Amino acid sequence: MRKRAAEFEQAHPEYEITIQGCYYEDLPAEVSRRTLAGRPPTIASYYSGASQQAIDTVRADGRPLFTSVGREVGDRTEILGEPVILNDLIEACQTFYRINDDLAAVPLTLSTMLLYSNMTMLRAAGLSTPPRTWDEVSAACEALTGGPAYPITWPDDGKLFQHWITQQGGAMLDADNGRAGRASRVDLTSPGLLALVDWWHRLNRGGYYLYTGTFEDWAGNGAAFVGERVALRVDSSFAINFMGGPERDGLEETVTLLPHNDRVSPVGNWIGGDAMWLADGLDPVARDGALAFMMYLNSPENAAQWHRASGSTPVTESAVALLAEEGWFDNHPAHRVAVEQLRRATVSAPVIPGSHGVQTAIMAAMEDVLVRAADPATRFARAQVEAQAALDAYNATCLAGVERDPTWLRVGT
């Protein structure tokens, strides 16, 4: 990133770019602190799950800090000689960051959820290919009985609820899943969510599913897979970059699309990563410099290099085409799978106000189902009440003005 900034400064010597890193969970609080102190950033890169926090960040006078990138770009095709890439963004990015009928931010890093399989274990169980649907997962788990300690694992994490609900074309929120305005109602009793919970519950009850006992335990689930205690795991596409390392010698690993509900065609994805938000009220020179830098970062060559270096799925079709032309995907076919999955998206995951509280309610409910044999429908009806209270508290805080309850800054999973 600093190298790209130096290159941009050389091409545009009238600009100076200062880059400061920040842990993603701390970023909303740090941006708010600096903004209220009169030192707002020109660009801030928010985690996808903190998009509502970006929308709700305000200056000391209560005005929103950020403006819509799409509105500021307008119908321009280049800015300071840098080609505008907004229409080149893959559809999953355009769908997720289109809020209030405009592109709110420019994605930089991108991920989704995939299935990782130990093919040696699968073949030993008589399976030639990884499962593609929920029913096939259940059948594979039955076939794997007597092999690994548990056939499959994934964390109790709100991101996976978002993905599997969106995959079924469902929504968790009103206001077009938080895109047509601030969401005010949450739904944790939808058919899609209860279908997911029922399938997950049956896998757990059958002794097929490994729950490590900790929310969001991606490291624990990954360790179980590497240690060959499970044959299948769900993980982020970022984990592709860690395949084939020395700790995996002898592990024949493959990556495929995330299994879907057999009864519903897959139509959407959760997406991870981060996006760049543009401060409002900049003078035209600063505004255009910031926009040009965003475009430069996502030029086909730079986006391809970012993918190769970080494992982030490319955010533009031109970057995907460049990587394909170079033969990158032929040599790294797992990365092609992430692109294929994201291209299936016609609907996108929710923009959740109070995402931390909402998702904590979801994860706690699922843990009670898995560990304490709680009835799924009853427990998620209670979770809906808890999640609605969290959403209401967040919205009340943000609508009250500049002075906010500190919990609004907590980043959701």
Side-chain angles (χ1 to χ4, degrees), residues 12-262:
H12 304 278
E14 67 273 30
Y15 290 99
E16 179 181 352
I17 299 173
T18 301
I19 295 178
Q20 294 181 309
C22 183
Y23 183 57
Y24 81 102
E25 289 188 357
D26 298 333
L27 184 132
E30 181 64 12
V31 170
S32 181
R33 183 183 68 79
R34 293 187 183 209
T35 299
L36 294 176
R39 297 180 288 108
T42 303
I43 300 170
S45 188
Y46 280 72
Y47 169 61
S48 61
S51 295
Q52 188 67 49
Q53 277 110 319
I55 294 169
D56 291 332
T57 300
V58 295
R59 301 175 188 268
D61 61 4
R63 290 182 298 120
L65 172 59
F66 297 112
T67 185
S68 160
V69 170
R71 184 165 56 247
E72 296 300 326
V73 169
D75 59 1
R76 290 184 283 181
T77 58
E78 59 86 21
I79 301 172
L80 304 182
E82 305 293 344
V84 170
I85 55 84
L86 301 188
N87 291 332
D88 190 35
L89 293 169
I90 67 171
E91 186 177 355
C93 291
Q94 295 201 37
T95 302
F96 183 81
Y97 289 107
R98 184 163 292 281
I99 301 170
N100 294 322
D101 204 31
D102 214 340
L103 191 70
V106 178
L108 176 64
T109 305
L110 179 62
S111 66
T112 188
M113 296 296 173
L114 300 170
L115 180 69
Y116 293 73
S117 302
N118 181 325
M119 289 307 301
T120 302
M121 287 185 173
L122 263 62
R123 290 194 183 98
L127 302 168
S128 59
T129 59
R132 297 164 299 173
T133 69
W134 291 0
D135 285 351
E136 288 184 12
V137 167
S138 299
C141 287
E142 186 172 349
L144 285 159
T145 300
Y150 292 87
I152 193 166
T153 189
W154 63 77
D156 182 5
D157 191 309
K159 292 187 283 290
L160 284 165
F161 281 89
Q162 290 185 53
H163 193 124
W164 267 314
I165 293 168
T166 304
Q167 193 183 59
Q168 298 175 75
M172 291 176 62
L173 303 169
D174 63 350
D176 190 25
N177 234 2
R179 273 185 186 74
R182 179 183 297 278
S184 61
R185 302 297 302 171
V186 62
D187 182 5
L188 300 186
T189 60
S190 67
L193 185 145
L194 293 179
L196 166 62
V197 173
D198 177 66
W199 171 63
W200 190 341
H201 178 45
R202 284 186 281 112
L203 289 176
N204 182 69
R205 192 172 53 197
Y208 302 136
Y209 166 76
L210 169 64
Y211 176 49
T212 66
T214 304
F215 293 170
E216 305 167 311
D217 188 14
W218 296 95
N221 286 268
F225 184 79
V226 173
E228 300 190 68
R229 292 189 291 120
V230 297
L232 302 164
R233 96 182 192 272
V234 172
D235 208 333
S236 164
S237 55
F238 274 119
I240 293 171
N241 261 25
F242 300 97
M243 292 171 59
E247 74 280 7
R248 283 174 162 77
D249 286 347
L251 175 59
E252 185 185 356
E253 187 174 358
T254 192
V255 180
T256 51
L257 303 176
L258 187 70
H260 62 87
N261 186 341
D262 302 69

